[in-house]
Amino acid sequence: MSVLKTIHVSCAVISYTLFVLRGIWSLNDSNIMRQRWIRIAPHINDTLLLSTALALAYSIGQYPFIDAWLTAKFVALLLYIGLGSFALKYGRNKTLRIYAWLAAQAVFGYIVLVAINHDPLPFIH
């Protein structure tokens, strides 16, 4: 596995782990959510994740809106970000935030399957 891909996958694991933890902490109204590092670290990691994604796409010569699997990943990423924002910040009540948090995790799983299979429909085969 290339260094770039290793960094990308590592950042994805860190991103998911931080999202799950932040969801638990947020849903339990934990004070840790007010700590500075927890507000900054995910953004730094996700910037590196996105940067390596762009570099990987360029290095393999495949791009969103040209290659279907990368388009699917990109659209799913936007959905994941939206659901995650709703779950951690903008949800009106705890029940909706839990559903958004769980849905975001399902979308993340879809993104991983698309990435592994290079197929926008990884469940059909």
Side-chain angles (χ1 to χ4, degrees):
M1 187 181 316
S2 73
V3 172
L4 192 58
K5 187 174 179 182
T6 300
I7 293 169
H8 181 72
V9 170
S10 298
C11 287
V13 169
I14 292 167
S15 181
Y16 179 74
T17 302
L18 285 172
F19 177 71
V20 170
L21 289 172
R22 288 166 58 214
I24 293 167
W25 295 330
S26 176
L27 293 167
N28 289 314
D29 298 317
S30 173
N31 288 333
I32 197 166
M33 289 299 287
R34 294 186 247 322
Q35 292 183 13
R36 185 173 182 181
W37 77 270
I38 202 62
R39 292 190 322 261
I40 296 171
H43 298 296
I44 293 169
N45 182 72
D46 290 347
T47 299
L48 184 57
L49 177 61
L50 183 58
S51 299
T52 57
L54 293 171
L56 280 168
Y58 178 78
S59 72
I60 65 172
Q62 294 189 356
Y63 308 97
F65 308 110
I66 295 173
D67 297 285
W69 74 276
L70 275 176
T71 302
K73 264 186 82 172
F74 178 76
V75 171
L77 175 63
L78 294 178
L79 179 59
Y80 175 73
I81 291 168
L83 287 166
S85 294
F86 192 85
L88 298 177
K89 216 176 208 178
Y90 301 111
R92 290 181 297 173
N93 62 57
K94 193 174 274 192
T95 301
L96 291 175
R97 289 173 49 216
I98 289 170
Y99 284 128
W101 182 64
L102 293 171
Q105 291 182 67
V107 171
F108 186 89
Y110 169 77
I111 292 169
V112 170
L113 287 174
V114 170
I116 290 169
N117 295 298
H118 290 202
D119 185 348
L121 301 171
F123 306 112
I124 301 173
H125 292 301

